[in-house]
Amino acid sequence: MRSIPVNGEPTPAAVLALRSLAVTFPTAYGDIAAVRGVSLEVAAGECLGVVGESGAGKTQAFLAPLRLLPATARVAGEARLLGQNLLVLPERDLDMIRGRRVGMVFQDPLTSLTPHLTVGRQIAEVIEHHGLAGGAAASERALALLRQVRVSDPERRLRQYPHELSGGMRQRVMLAIALACDPALVIADEPTTALDVTVQAEILALLAALRRERRLALVLITHDLGVIAGLADRVVVMYAGQVVEEGPVAALLSAPRHPYTAALLAALPRLDMPRHAPLAGIGGVPPDPRHLPEGCAFHPRCARGDATCRAQVPTLHHGASSRAACHHPLDGERVRP
């Protein structure tokens, strides 16, 4: 397992390195701690899967470095892209990184695409904005990108509007926009949500192929552990704004060390389940980010929670297969696939 220092300098191979990243949203009802001291990194050619329940802070941790959060958000820590701390850059400099060095694939392509512009114009606009080509050359590049992401009849699609395309085609267009300027990093936020199973498989296969061909650093944010298993090299599990476990995908999914990771895996349906067997669930609910529990945030839902868990916040510790933030890790306990 590649060692990642929690508070040290990023490794030389890191494309993106977050260090003690924190995101807080002030509200009339108190501060919301959406991200709390997250440290992680992703290398060129690597796919990092980020998983957790809704509200775990997965998306906010990756929108914050690009300043895509509401203006009221307070962001602290470091977010280094190829060694450069994005959090201290002037807006003009950051604008030349968004779309150029970092591509984004958002969850809902229909609302992410501009409804009154053709697909070709939207792809060409990114290319022109970053000065890579203009006019006919930008349109030719847009057409080549549609071919690369395997859009059928790309010459016709270039002239169509987003509402004229299927969900899978729109997601391919989002990929084309994300790849338009040959970025070093692509962040895909729930890229297969609301797509049928066949289209999901096609999009995931496309992401895998593009990562190999371009040696992209790919961050895949999802709640779907099946997607993670099929595409990611390493997995980060988040809960209540913190990383609770991190490790290679095969080791973490077969022998999780954190009880929360084990509970997520136990909740997955299996083909060998008895016909009328109830699905397992995680008792309780995620904590209110305005009033987080003392100690380990997961302890109210954890069968292993004790006085130590209620009093002390656990830190990430190395084990045989992963790093886990738990006072009582599940060493050696395997989970059925």
Side-chain angles (χ1 to χ4, degrees), residues 8 17 54 58 120 122 138 144 149 205 211 228 256 264 281 283 309:
S54 296
K58 306 183 300 296
Q122 293 189 58
V149 298
R211 176 170 67 105
I228 293 290
L264 288 176
C309 304

Side-chain angles (χ1 to χ4, degrees), residues 28-45:
Y29 305 100
D31 287 353
I32 295 176
V35 179
R36 303 186 293 141
V38 166
S39 295
L40 55 83
E41 63 185 49
V42 57

Side-chain angles (χ1 to χ4, degrees), residues 66-200:
L66 301 174
R67 261 172 248 165
L68 296 178
L69 295 175
T72 56
R74 299 198 301 261
V75 182
E78 288 187 355
R80 294 188 177 273
L81 180 73
L82 300 171
Q84 188 175 31
N85 188 5
L86 302 181
L87 300 185
V88 299
L89 288 183
E91 183 63 27
R92 176 180 291 184
D93 293 346
L94 189 60
D95 186 52
M96 298 313 295
I97 288 174
R98 290 186 295 241
R100 175 68 183 91
R101 304 302 294 158
V102 182
M104 287 287 304
V105 180
F106 294 102
Q107 182 172 346
D108 184 358
L110 185 58
T111 57
S112 301
L113 294 169
T114 304
H116 65 278
L117 295 179
T118 64
V119 163
R121 178 87 290 271
Q122 293 189 58
I123 302 172
E125 188 176 61
V126 179
I127 297 165
E128 292 168 355
H129 177 75
H130 291 285
L132 299 186
S139 296
E140 282 299 314
R141 184 173 174 85
L143 181 61
L145 283 160
L146 287 182
R147 291 193 179 110
Q148 187 174 14
V149 298
R150 302 170 193 168
V151 167
S152 62
D153 196 0
E155 290 84 359
R156 181 166 67 93
R157 305 295 185 194
L158 208 66
R159 301 188 296 272
Q160 289 185 312
Y161 293 88
H163 73 271
E164 298 179 278
L165 305 179
S166 67
M169 285 295 174
R170 287 194 290 266
Q171 197 61 285
R172 291 172 191 268
V173 170
M174 285 296 300
L175 270 173
I177 292 172
L179 297 169
C181 298
D182 293 318
L185 169 69
V186 168
I187 300 170
D189 186 6
E190 301 280 8
T192 58
T193 296
L195 301 179
D196 64 49
V197 174
T198 302
V199 178
Q200 281 186 28

Side-chain angles (χ1 to χ4, degrees), residues 235-238 242-247 251-252 255-262 316 321-325:
V235 188
V236 163
V237 181
M238 289 187 64
Q242 293 182 309
V243 174
V244 296
E245 189 164 4
E246 179 271 329
L252 187 144
R257 298 183 64 234
H258 198 284
Y260 176 62
T261 309
L316 286 165
S321 60
S322 68
R323 297 188 307 155

Side-chain angles (χ1 to χ4, degrees), residues 199-219:
V199 178
Q200 281 186 28
E202 291 173 354
I203 295 295
L204 293 174
L206 179 57
L207 280 169
L210 291 169
R211 176 170 67 105
R212 289 193 303 270
E213 293 165 7
R214 295 179 173 233
R215 273 196 60 76
L216 282 171
L218 175 63
V219 173

